[in-house]
């Protein structure tokens, strides 16, 4: 197949409602992939990155959320990007590789030469076109995006060793107990269709081992994978680990930013990274203002066109304001995410916080966090006038008429 005829598809793994529990109270009424970062749903950042891949013909979102939760979003983003985006719902968790194989026929419908696989909850610059070019030069089955991190944090992720000249993956281990390497797996891959043969092989081996275990009670008692069904296949432990060192897998190192979005606190940091990236990729999305006819804007700020912000407000850096929010006179916003329909009344202050949908913050009130904390208000929380909320998490539909500090209000 010539390069002009090559087709590429992308698969973004979006998990399901049994995931994202650490993201509550902000994922109680919306799937985590649709939670806004830098004014856009979390999953939209990798989707927009996929749009830059040459010869992209289809983007699939694979998970086990209810289809109705994604239907409107998938339709809207398909029209916006002019690229077909489709949600594929798993009947049960199959693992990252098993989920891919479960929809093999659909994914291969356009006979693609390459398949990108991305986890939705990573935040990075997604250098996908560059990664594809490197993958073609390597000539292997797959290429993994990797990054160098501190030795102290590496054990939280999949650590790997690559050959320094050829970039071949030599060794991979998921969250090791002892230090292996300061290079980690970023959760972004590109494969040839041979990946399906590899996944099928793992599944068949597991079936064969299951049959043998029926003959050996000792083996059944001591097998680490005895409870895994044959169609549950993980990309990391079941593909990367056994195929390392076999000239099948290679690495592409990013020198840019990378984070994993596991908690609401990380969402503020990642929102800041995406807002900073907008300077280069989408400068039209960033607000500006000097306090004369519009609010004073400092640093990277996103304001939805439908939001109303008083000219005397001071906004930024690292602030995103969603649809239909109302920001009053003299308000100060710094490092925060303001979600749809929020009202922040005159002279209120929000620092290092996430303010949930349709919440209200009264006049002269403060919602703030100190140190490494973030304050979080769930949906429809009311903070009355002259109340201070510090380092606290407030679940939905609560009214605060007294100040709180270091509290979780259920």
């Amino acid at each position: 197949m010539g390069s002009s005829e090559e087709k590429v598809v992308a698969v973004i793994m979006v998990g399901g409602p049994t995931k994202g529990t650490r993201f509550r109270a902000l994922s109680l009424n919306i799937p985590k992939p649709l939670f806004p970062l830098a004014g856009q749903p979390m999953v939209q950042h990798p989707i927009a990155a996929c749009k830059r891949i040459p010869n992209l013909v289809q983007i699939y979102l694979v998970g086990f959320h209810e289809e109705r939760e994604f239907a409107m979003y998938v339709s809207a983003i398909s029209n916006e990007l002019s690229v077909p985006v489709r949600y594929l719902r798993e009947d049960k968790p199959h693992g990252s590789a098993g989920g891919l194989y479960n929809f093999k026929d659909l994914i291969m419908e356009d006979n693609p030469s390459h398949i990108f696989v991305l986890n939705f909850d990573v935040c990075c610059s997604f250098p996908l076109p560059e990664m594809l070019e490197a993958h073609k030069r390597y000539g292997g089955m797959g290429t993994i995006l990797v990054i160098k991190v501190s030795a102290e944090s590496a054990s939280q992720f999949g650590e790997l060793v690559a050959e320094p000249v050829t970039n071949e993956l030599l060794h991979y281990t998921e969250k090791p107990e002892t230090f292996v390497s300061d290079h980690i797996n970023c959760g972004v891959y590109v494969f040839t269709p041979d990946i399906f043969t590899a996944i099928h092989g793992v599944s068949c081996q597991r079936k064969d081992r299951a049959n043998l275990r029926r003959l050996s009670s000792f083996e059944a008692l001591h097998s680490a994978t005895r409870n895994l069904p044959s169609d549950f296949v993980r990309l990391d432990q079941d593909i990367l680990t056994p195929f390392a060192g076999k000239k099948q897998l290679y690495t592409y190192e990013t020198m840019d930013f990378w984070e994993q979005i596991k908690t609401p606190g990380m969402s503020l940091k990642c929102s800041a990274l995406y807002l900073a990236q907008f300077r280069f990729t989408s400068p039209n999305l960033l607000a500006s203002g000097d306090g004369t006819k519009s609010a004073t804007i400092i640093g990277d700020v996103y304001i939805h066109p439908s939001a109303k912000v008083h000219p005397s407000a001071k906004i930024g850096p690292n602030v995103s304001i969603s649809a239909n929010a109302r920001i009053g006179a003299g308000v100060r916003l710094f490092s925060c995410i303001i979600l749809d329909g929020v009202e922040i009344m005159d002279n209120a202050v929000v620092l290092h916080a996430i303010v949930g949908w349709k919440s209200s913050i009264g006049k002269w009130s403060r919602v703030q966090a100190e140190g490494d904390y973030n304050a979080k208000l769930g949906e429809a929380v009311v903070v009355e006038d002259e109340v201070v909320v510090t380092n606290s998490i407030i679940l939905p539909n609560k009214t605060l008429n007294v100040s709180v500090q270091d509290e979780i209000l259920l």
Side-chain angles (χ1 to χ4, degrees):
M1 181 183 289
S3 59
S4 62
E5 303 170 20
E6 289 180 348
K7 296 177 181 178
V8 180
V9 300
V11 178
I12 302 175
M13 313 302 290
V14 297
T18 60
K19 304 290 185 182
T21 52
R22 283 177 286 182
F23 219 75
R24 294 174 181 165
L26 297 169
S27 61
L28 288 172
N29 65 333
I30 187 174
K32 180 182 170 183
L34 299 184
F35 182 82
L37 296 182
Q40 298 179 348
M42 192 183 298
V43 73
Q44 190 160 322
H45 297 282
I47 288 175
C50 289
K51 171 74 173 173
R52 301 194 297 269
I53 302 170
N55 304 314
L56 179 75
V57 294
Q58 179 78 52
I59 298 172
Y60 294 104
L61 309 182
V62 174
F64 42 102
H65 295 276
E66 293 291 337
E67 289 188 38
R68 58 180 169 76
E69 296 183 294
F70 278 86
M72 288 182 60
Y73 174 72
V74 163
S75 175
I77 196 65
S78 296
N79 291 332
E80 181 180 329
L81 296 183
S82 300
V83 171
V85 179
R86 182 174 178 183
Y87 177 67
L88 302 177
R89 185 176 185 270
E90 297 182 78
D91 56 344
K92 62 179 181 178
H94 291 89
S96 47
L100 196 66
Y101 192 84
N102 190 46
F103 296 107
K104 172 189 171 185
D105 292 344
L106 280 171
I107 292 168
M108 291 303 298
E109 198 170 45
D110 291 303
N111 195 28
S113 59
H114 296 92
I115 302 153
F116 274 90
V117 180
L118 304 86
N119 289 317
F120 83 95
D121 59 352
V122 299
C123 166
C124 69
S125 59
F126 296 106
L128 305 183
E130 298 85 352
M131 195 175 165
L132 179 59
E133 286 305 308
H135 173 71
K136 292 176 180 178
R137 291 196 305 271
Y138 298 151
M141 175 180 71
T143 298
I144 310 158
L145 187 68
V146 306
I147 192 169
K148 185 175 181 178
V149 298
S150 68
E152 294 76 24
S153 64
S155 62
Q156 303 171 42
F157 309 101
E159 297 182 24
L160 54 92
V161 177
E163 207 288 322
V165 176
T166 66
N167 294 322
E168 182 194 352
L169 180 69
L170 300 178
H171 179 74
Y172 182 88
T173 181
E174 185 69 16
K175 298 179 182 176
E177 294 183 4
T178 57
F179 178 75
V180 174
S181 167
D182 55 5
H183 282 79
I184 64 166
N185 175 9
C186 291
V188 178
Y189 315 87
V190 58
F191 295 107
T192 65
D194 291 338
I195 184 63
F196 291 115
T197 304
I199 298 169
H200 182 66
V202 170
S203 182
C204 288
Q205 288 172 11
R206 192 166 287 158
K207 284 180 182 175
D208 292 342
R209 287 197 299 269
N211 290 333
L212 287 172
R213 283 199 297 273
R214 292 191 187 101
L215 304 176
S216 170
S217 58
F218 179 85
E219 171 70 13
L221 287 169
H222 292 85
S223 171
T225 60
R226 64 185 180 275
N227 293 322
L228 289 179
S230 60
D231 61 351
F232 189 93
V233 184
R234 302 157 297 185
L235 267 178
D236 36 31
Q237 294 104 313
D238 299 324
I239 300 295
L240 303 187
T241 298
F243 280 87
K246 296 182 178 178
K247 300 192 183 303
Q248 290 289 307
L249 299 173
Y250 293 82
T251 63
Y252 180 84
E253 184 173 357
T254 177
M255 301 297 176
D256 214 336
F257 65 91
W258 181 88
E259 296 288 348
Q260 195 171 28
I261 315 165
K262 290 299 185 186
T263 64
M266 282 305 302
S267 64
L268 272 178
K269 182 176 183 179
C270 293
S271 191
L273 291 169
Y274 280 138
L275 286 170
Q277 190 185 29
F278 284 169
R279 294 181 218 160
F280 310 101
T281 61
S282 308
N284 58 300
L285 294 178
L286 294 175
S288 60
D290 60 5
T292 52
K293 294 184 178 180
S294 59
T296 300
I297 303 298
I298 303 168
D300 301 319
V301 171
Y302 168 84
I303 301 175
H304 191 275
S306 66
K308 293 183 173 16
V309 181
H310 195 277
S312 65
K314 192 173 184 180
I315 315 293
N318 182 24
V319 172
S320 64
I321 301 174
S322 294
N324 301 310
R326 299 181 302 285
I327 312 300
V331 166
R332 179 70 176 103
L333 304 180
F334 178 97
S335 187
C336 57
I337 295 174
I338 308 300
L339 296 176
D340 292 11
V342 166
E343 182 175 14
I344 302 179
M345 299 182 192
D346 297 356
N347 301 304
V349 176
V350 180
L351 309 172
H352 305 292
I354 301 171
V355 182
W357 304 266
K358 301 176 185 174
S359 289
S360 171
I361 298 175
K363 296 177 180 178
W364 297 100
S365 289
R366 295 175 69 94
V367 177
Q368 62 189 14
E370 301 164 347
D372 294 329
Y373 290 95
N374 299 122
K376 305 168 196 72
L377 305 188
E379 182 179 14
V381 169
V382 176
V383 178
E384 295 190 350
D385 294 351
E386 301 181 22
V387 169
V388 179
V389 178
T390 304
N391 294 350
S392 295
I393 299 172
I394 315 300
L395 265 67
N397 304 305
K398 297 289 182 292
T399 296
L400 295 180
N401 54 17
V402 295
S403 297
V404 295
Q405 180 169 351
D406 302 321
E407 297 276 356
I408 299 176
L409 300 183
L410 301 177

